[in-house]
Structure formats: C-alpha cells, structure tokens
Amino acid sequence: MNKVALIIGAGDATGGAVARRFAREGYTTCVTRRSLDKLQPLLEQIRAEGGTAHGFASDARKEEEVVALVEQIESTLGPIEVLVFNIGANAPSSILEESARKYFKIWEMACFSGFLNGREVAKRMVQRDGDGLKGTIIFTGATASLRGGANFAAFSGAKMALRALAQSMARELGPRGIHVAHVVIDGAIDTAFIRDNFPERYALKAEDGILNPEHIADTYWMLHRQPRDAWTHEMDLRPYMEKF
C-alpha cells in the first residue's frame, strides 16, 4: 500500500497546490471538499501529470464523516503519512452585526474540523511501527491566528484556537514521532477571489507582492522532509513587501 497525503480543503489555490506537490513526490493524494464535483479539475490535473489522486466529498465538521473518511483511506489506499488541514472560512463582519449562527459556523469550519481531522489521523499515526517519523500534520493559519482585526472577531477567534490546538498537539505528539506544524499565511494569495474582489492588490502579483500557492506548497513539502532533530513548529510566510 502506498504512502498517502490527505489534504482537507483542497481548493483551487493552496490546497490544490499542496496536493499536486505531494503527488509529484510519489504520494497517493487524497483530497476533500464538501462537493466532489469541485474536485474534478484538480484530480484530472494530478492524473495528467502522472500522479495518483482520489477525491472525497466530506464535511470536515461532521465527526462521523471524518471517522469514516480516515478509515476508508487507511483500509483501502494506505497509511496516511501527511495530513494538511487547509480550511479557511474567512467571512468578515462587524461584531455589531455578527449572528451567533455564523460565528459558530466559522469556528466549526476553521477550528473544530481541524480538531476532528487531526485527532483521527493522529490516532492512526501513533500506532505505526518503529521509533522514527510516524507522520506529519500541518495546519494552515492566517494573519488572524496572531491578532484580531476589526470585523474579524469570528475568524480570528477560530484561527487563534486552531493555533492553540496545533501547539498542544505538537507538545504531546512530537515525542511520539509526529511532526505537527502551524504555518501562518500572512498576505493575499494568488486566487480568483483576490483577483475579482481586490484588483489593486492582485496587480501586485507582477512584483511578487502576493503569495504564489506553488511556493506555499514547496514550504509544506520542506516541513515534511525536515529531520526530527531540527523540526519547525511554527513559521510565517508573506510577500517581501507585506507589512507586519
């Protein structure tokens, strides 16, 4: 059975680039979104490049679906060696207008689902034979992981909680051979959303002023390949012109 990289939230930018990167390295890539139809272009691209990819329609907030997903992959495709949690859920709103339902949904998507997927995969990883690296778990963070901005109360609360989850998991699981990393993406990413909604910001692409998803994916691959005597837990990625 082949080694597997599971990418939760394999969208058109970072998640898709990470999936393609690991596929090029010989991993069976398993990618998820709530809609299987939206995964088809990514699956076709990976296969056209000679990689192996499987798509799954899965709601990362539903415990029973996450448990079933991990069991299906582990029993039919191979051991999950890499988990990348990449769900965003960025939906700004004034605290004066934020609804309880939306606040809770953002927390479910950006934090709770990270807990569910991280827990289920970690339970499998700790059972691997040997004393070396048993797996890598990477959580995608954001500027909001570090500070709460105006109109981002829900997103910041969820992303900060995800960061705390990553820290707790790293401290518990690192000594057991599991590399847990948290990557703060501090800046706009080259996506259709930025292109269509923030054209002035997108114009900075010509000056390397927004993040290239392929370069983010290269960093994720580097984290997975780090020797355990020099593991990185947290790092930040931003364009050279981004203020911080």
Side-chain angles (χ1 to χ4, degrees), residues 63-97:
E63 184 174 23
E64 64 277 9
E65 292 191 27
V66 173
V67 172
L69 171 70
V70 173
E71 170 60 27
Q72 181 180 357
I73 293 171
E74 288 266 341
S75 62
T76 63
L77 297 176
I80 299 171
E81 186 174 300
V82 181
L83 168 67
V84 174
F85 178 78
N86 190 62
I87 292 179
N90 187 352
S93 177
S94 166
I95 192 65
L96 304 177
E97 301 171 356

Coordinates of all heavy atoms in Angstrom, one line a residue, residues 63-97:
E63 N -18.3 14.6 12.7 CA -17.4 13.6 13.2 C -17.6 12.3 12.5 O -16.6 11.6 12.2 CB -17.7 13.5 14.7 CG -16.8 12.5 15.4 CD -17.0 12.4 16.9 OE1 -18.1 12.8 17.4 OE2 -16.0 12.0 17.6
E64 N -18.8 11.8 12.3 CA -19.0 10.5 11.7 C -18.4 10.5 10.3 O -17.9 9.4 9.8 CB -20.5 10.2 11.6 CG -21.4 11.1 10.8 CD -21.8 12.3 11.5 OE1 -21.3 12.6 12.6 OE2 -22.7 13.0 10.9
E65 N -18.5 11.6 9.5 CA -17.9 11.6 8.2 C -16.3 11.6 8.2 O -15.7 11.0 7.4 CB -18.4 12.8 7.4 CG -19.9 12.8 7.1 CD -20.3 13.9 6.1 OE1 -19.4 14.3 5.3 OE2 -21.5 14.3 6.1
V66 N -15.8 12.3 9.2 CA -14.3 12.3 9.3 C -13.8 10.9 9.7 O -12.8 10.4 9.2 CB -13.9 13.4 10.4 CG1 -12.4 13.3 10.6 CG2 -14.2 14.8 9.9
V67 N -14.5 10.3 10.7 CA -14.1 8.9 11.1 C -14.1 8.0 9.9 O -13.2 7.2 9.7 CB -15.0 8.5 12.3 CG1 -14.7 7.0 12.6 CG2 -14.7 9.3 13.5
A68 N -15.2 8.0 9.2 CA -15.4 7.1 8.0 C -14.4 7.4 6.9 O -13.8 6.5 6.3 CB -16.8 7.3 7.5
L69 N -14.0 8.7 6.7 CA -13.1 9.1 5.7 C -11.7 8.5 6.0 O -11.1 7.8 5.2 CB -13.0 10.6 5.6 CG -11.8 11.1 4.7 CD1 -12.1 10.9 3.2 CD2 -11.6 12.6 5.0
V70 N -11.2 8.7 7.2 CA -9.9 8.2 7.6 C -9.9 6.7 7.6 O -8.9 6.1 7.1 CB -9.5 8.7 9.0 CG1 -8.2 8.1 9.5 CG2 -9.4 10.2 9.0
E71 N -10.9 6.0 8.0 CA -11.0 4.6 8.0 C -10.9 4.0 6.6 O -10.2 3.1 6.3 CB -12.3 4.1 8.7 CG -12.6 2.6 8.5 CD -11.5 1.7 9.1 OE1 -10.8 2.1 10.0 OE2 -11.3 0.5 8.6
Q72 N -11.7 4.7 5.7 CA -11.7 4.2 4.3 C -10.3 4.4 3.6 O -9.8 3.4 2.9 CB -12.7 5.0 3.5 CG -12.8 4.6 2.0 CD -13.8 5.5 1.2 OE1 -14.5 6.3 1.8 NE2 -13.9 5.2 -0.1
I73 N -9.7 5.5 3.8 CA -8.3 5.7 3.3 C -7.3 4.7 3.8 O -6.6 4.1 3.1 CB -7.9 7.2 3.5 CG1 -8.8 8.1 2.7 CG2 -6.4 7.3 3.1 CD1 -8.5 9.6 3.0
E74 N -7.3 4.6 5.1 CA -6.3 3.7 5.8 C -6.5 2.2 5.4 O -5.6 1.5 5.2 CB -6.4 3.9 7.3 CG -5.9 5.2 7.8 CD -4.4 5.1 8.2 OE1 -3.9 3.9 8.4 OE2 -3.7 6.1 8.3
S75 N -7.7 1.8 5.2 CA -8.0 0.4 4.9 C -7.9 0.0 3.4 O -7.7 -1.1 3.1 CB -9.4 0.0 5.5 OG -10.4 0.8 4.8
T76 N -8.1 1.0 2.5 CA -8.1 0.7 1.1 C -7.0 1.3 0.3 O -6.6 0.8 -0.7 CB -9.5 1.2 0.5 OG1 -9.5 2.6 0.6 CG2 -10.6 0.5 1.2
L77 N -6.4 2.4 0.8 CA -5.4 3.1 0.0 C -4.0 3.0 0.6 O -3.0 2.9 -0.1 CB -5.7 4.5 -0.3 CG -7.0 4.7 -1.1 CD1 -7.4 6.2 -1.1 CD2 -6.9 4.1 -2.5
G78 N -3.9 3.2 1.9 CA -2.6 3.1 2.6 C -2.5 4.0 3.8 O -3.5 4.7 4.1
P79 N -1.5 3.9 4.5 CA -1.3 4.7 5.7 C -1.2 6.2 5.4 O -0.5 6.6 4.5 CB -0.1 4.2 6.4 CG 0.7 3.6 5.3 CD -0.3 3.1 4.3
I80 N -1.9 7.0 6.2 CA -1.8 8.5 6.0 C -0.5 9.0 6.6 O -0.4 9.0 7.9 CB -3.0 9.2 6.6 CG1 -4.3 8.7 5.9 CG2 -2.9 10.7 6.5 CD1 -5.6 9.2 6.6
E81 N 0.4 9.4 5.8 CA 1.7 9.8 6.3 C 1.7 11.3 6.5 O 2.5 11.9 7.4 CB 2.8 9.5 5.3 CG 4.2 9.8 5.8 CD 5.3 9.2 4.9 OE1 5.3 8.0 4.7 OE2 6.1 10.1 4.4
V82 N 0.9 12.1 5.8 CA 0.8 13.5 5.9 C -0.7 13.9 5.9 O -1.5 13.5 5.1 CB 1.5 14.2 4.7 CG1 1.4 15.7 4.8 CG2 2.9 13.7 4.6
L83 N -1.0 14.8 6.8 CA -2.3 15.5 6.9 C -2.1 16.9 6.8 O -1.3 17.5 7.5 CB -3.0 15.1 8.2 CG -4.3 16.0 8.5 CD1 -5.4 15.7 7.4 CD2 -4.8 15.8 9.9
V84 N -2.7 17.6 5.8 CA -2.7 19.0 5.7 C -4.1 19.5 5.9 O -5.0 19.2 5.1 CB -2.1 19.5 4.4 CG1 -2.3 21.0 4.2 CG2 -0.7 19.1 4.2
F85 N -4.3 20.3 6.9 CA -5.6 20.9 7.2 C -5.6 22.3 6.7 O -4.9 23.2 7.1 CB -6.0 20.9 8.7 CG -7.3 21.6 9.0 CD1 -8.5 20.9 8.8 CD2 -7.3 22.9 9.5 CE1 -9.7 21.5 9.1 CE2 -8.5 23.5 9.7 CZ -9.7 22.8 9.5
N86 N -6.5 22.6 5.7 CA -6.4 23.8 4.9 C -7.8 24.5 4.7 O -8.0 25.2 3.7 CB -5.8 23.5 3.5 CG -5.4 24.8 2.8 OD1 -4.6 25.6 3.2 ND2 -6.1 25.0 1.6
I87 N -8.6 24.4 5.7 CA -9.9 25.1 5.6 C -9.8 26.5 6.1 O -9.3 26.8 7.1 CB -11.0 24.3 6.4 CG1 -11.3 23.0 5.7 CG2 -12.3 25.1 6.4 CD1 -12.3 22.1 6.4
G88 N -10.4 27.4 5.3 CA -10.2 28.9 5.6 C -11.4 29.4 6.4 O -11.2 29.7 7.6
A89 N -12.5 29.7 5.8 CA -13.7 30.2 6.5 C -13.6 31.7 6.8 O -14.2 32.1 7.8 CB -14.0 29.4 7.8
N90 N -12.9 32.4 6.0 CA -12.7 33.9 6.2 C -14.0 34.6 5.7 O -14.2 34.7 4.5 CB -11.5 34.4 5.5 CG -11.2 35.8 5.9 OD1 -12.0 36.5 6.5 ND2 -10.0 36.3 5.4
A91 N -14.8 35.1 6.6 CA -16.0 35.8 6.3 C -16.1 37.0 7.2 O -16.8 36.9 8.3 CB -17.2 34.9 6.4
P92 N -15.5 38.2 6.8 CA -15.6 39.3 7.7 C -16.9 39.9 8.0 O -17.8 39.8 7.1 CB -14.7 40.4 7.0 CG -14.7 39.9 5.6 CD -14.8 38.4 5.6
S93 N -17.1 40.4 9.2 CA -18.4 41.0 9.6 C -18.2 41.8 10.9 O -17.4 41.5 11.7 CB -19.5 39.9 9.8 OG -20.7 40.5 10.3
S94 N -18.9 42.9 11.0 CA -18.9 43.7 12.2 C -19.4 42.9 13.4 O -20.4 42.2 13.2 CB -19.7 45.0 12.0 OG -20.0 45.7 13.2
I95 N -18.8 43.1 14.5 CA -19.3 42.4 15.7 C -20.7 42.9 16.0 O -21.5 42.1 16.7 CB -18.3 42.7 16.9 CG1 -18.6 41.8 18.1 CG2 -18.4 44.2 17.3 CD1 -18.4 40.3 17.8
L96 N -21.1 44.1 15.6 CA -22.4 44.6 15.9 C -23.5 43.9 15.0 O -24.7 43.9 15.3 CB -22.5 46.1 15.6 CG -21.5 46.9 16.4 CD1 -21.6 48.4 16.0 CD2 -21.7 46.8 17.9
E97 N -23.0 43.2 13.9 CA -24.0 42.6 13.0 C -23.8 41.1 13.0 O -24.6 40.4 12.4 CB -23.8 43.2 11.6 CG -24.1 44.7 11.6 CD -23.7 45.2 10.2 OE1 -23.2 44.5 9.4 OE2 -23.9 46.5 10.0

